[in-house]
Structure formats: C-alpha cells, structure tokens
C-alpha cells in the first residue's frame, strides 16, 4: 500500500519508530511477510530490536485467545496466521495494535455473534473485546508525535 520508493518520508518515520521501539513486530509477522515481500529481510537486517520473539508468556496468551475465539483463524489457510500473535504481543507488552483492517461492524454491534462463522473476526474486533487500543497507520503516526521526528 505504501511503497518505499513512492513514500520515502513515511518509511523514514516508520524506521525511526522501529529504532526507538515505538513499533514492535511479532516474529510471526516477519514470517508472514516472508511469503511475498522483501520487508522481512529489511526488518531483520536493520531493525532487529523491534522484533518480539514468542516466549512462554506470549504463547500462553495466544492459547487463551485462540480458545476464546475459535473461528478467528482458519487452520486450513496460511492467510492472517500472524494476527493472534499481534494481539498476544500487544496484551503482553500493554501496547496499541496498529493495522489497516477495518472492524466488522456486525460483530462490533452484536458481540454475541463472535463465534458465528458467518461473521469474519477482524483484528479490531478482537482489540475491542480484549480492551486493546487499535489504530490505523495515520492515527498511530499522529498519536506518536509529529511526522518529522
């Protein structure tokens, strides 16, 4: 969505946030990125300090999330498998989740449908149910300071 060649200033800001650990990235996100982009190599080469490895605490949180929301991830798909890790890291580090996903409004307005497979669960829905702040990229950049530092 935001190619480095077309948005170099944006990527400078993102790198700055990674360097000061305002942005944290789950190891599983890196592995998911590995399936089609060069971003994983860039992060591992230049920004190792922002990668969060899955330890026992995160694994326990992850297990609780997957049990609480069994229809969140399709076990027969490789798409979005890192999503639970993103939320588990946020819970473990008491961080905000930043994604470009939009909330499923049906689930937002009717939380009792959370385990109904007809209503796909999105990261913002899980954040709502787990009381985690969720922002899109522009909101995050605005909240973490001006676009220049």
């Amino acid at each position: 969505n935001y190619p480095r060649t077309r948005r170099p200033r944006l990527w400078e800001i993102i790198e700055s946030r990674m360097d000061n650990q305002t942005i944290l990235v789950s190891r599983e996100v890196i592995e998911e990125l590995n399936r089609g982009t060069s971003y994983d190599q860039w992060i591992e080469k230049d920004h190792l300090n922002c990668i969060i490895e899955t330890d026992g605490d995160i694994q326990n949180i992850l297990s609780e999330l997957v049990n609480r929301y069994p229809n969140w991830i399709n076990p027969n798909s490789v798409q979005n498998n890192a999503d639970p890790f993103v939320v588990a890291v946020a819970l473990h580090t008491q961080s905000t989740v930043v994604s470009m996903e939009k909330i499923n409004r049906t689930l937002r307005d009717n939380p009792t449908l959370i385990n109904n497979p007809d209503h796909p669960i999105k990261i913002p829905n899980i954040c709502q149910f787990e009381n985690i702040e969720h922002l899109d990229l522009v909101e995050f950049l605005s909240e973490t300071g001006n676009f220049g530092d």
Side-chain angles (χ1 to χ4, degrees):
N1 292 354
Y2 303 103
R4 290 176 67 90
T5 55
R6 293 187 54 212
R7 304 277 190 257
R9 183 66 188 125
L10 172 64
W11 284 99
E12 288 173 17
I13 294 166
I14 290 172
E15 286 181 333
S16 169
R17 303 292 196 274
M18 292 170 90
D19 290 341
N20 69 20
Q21 293 186 309
T22 304
I23 293 177
L24 302 173
V25 182
S26 165
R27 167 64 64 190
E28 287 69 21
V29 169
I30 304 300
E31 291 175 12
E32 196 168 286
L33 286 173
N34 194 22
R35 283 187 242 130
T37 71
S38 61
Y39 290 118
D40 65 310
Q41 296 164 2
W42 162 74
I43 292 171
E44 291 209 72
K45 178 178 176 254
D46 297 328
H47 305 287
L48 276 173
N49 63 327
C50 75
I51 299 174
I52 303 298
E53 301 293 343
T54 301
D55 62 12
D57 291 337
I58 293 172
Q59 188 64 47
N60 289 338
I61 295 168
L62 179 70
S63 295
E64 290 174 16
L65 288 170
V66 171
N67 287 330
R68 197 173 300 135
Y69 309 106
N71 293 321
W72 186 10
I73 299 300
N74 180 348
N76 299 318
S77 173
V78 295
Q79 188 173 3
N80 301 325
N81 285 343
D83 290 3
F85 290 90
V86 169
V87 175
V89 166
L91 283 167
H92 180 66
T93 60
Q94 299 180 347
S95 301
T96 298
V97 170
V98 179
S99 80
M100 297 307 287
E101 283 191 359
K102 302 296 182 201
I103 197 164
N104 178 324
R105 292 179 183 179
T106 300
L107 293 178
R108 180 195 65 200
D109 298 338
N110 302 292
T112 58
L113 298 175
I114 191 65
N115 289 317
N116 182 325
D118 294 332
H119 302 284
I121 304 169
K122 302 293 185 182
I123 288 175
N125 295 109
I126 300 296
C127 289
Q128 172 194 359
F129 301 138
E130 296 295 323
N131 296 311
I132 302 169
E133 182 177 21
H134 178 271
L135 302 172
D136 67 26
L137 182 60
V138 172
E139 292 168 329
F140 170 74
L141 293 173
S142 296
E143 280 200 14
T144 58
N146 67 37
F147 287 86
D149 59 334

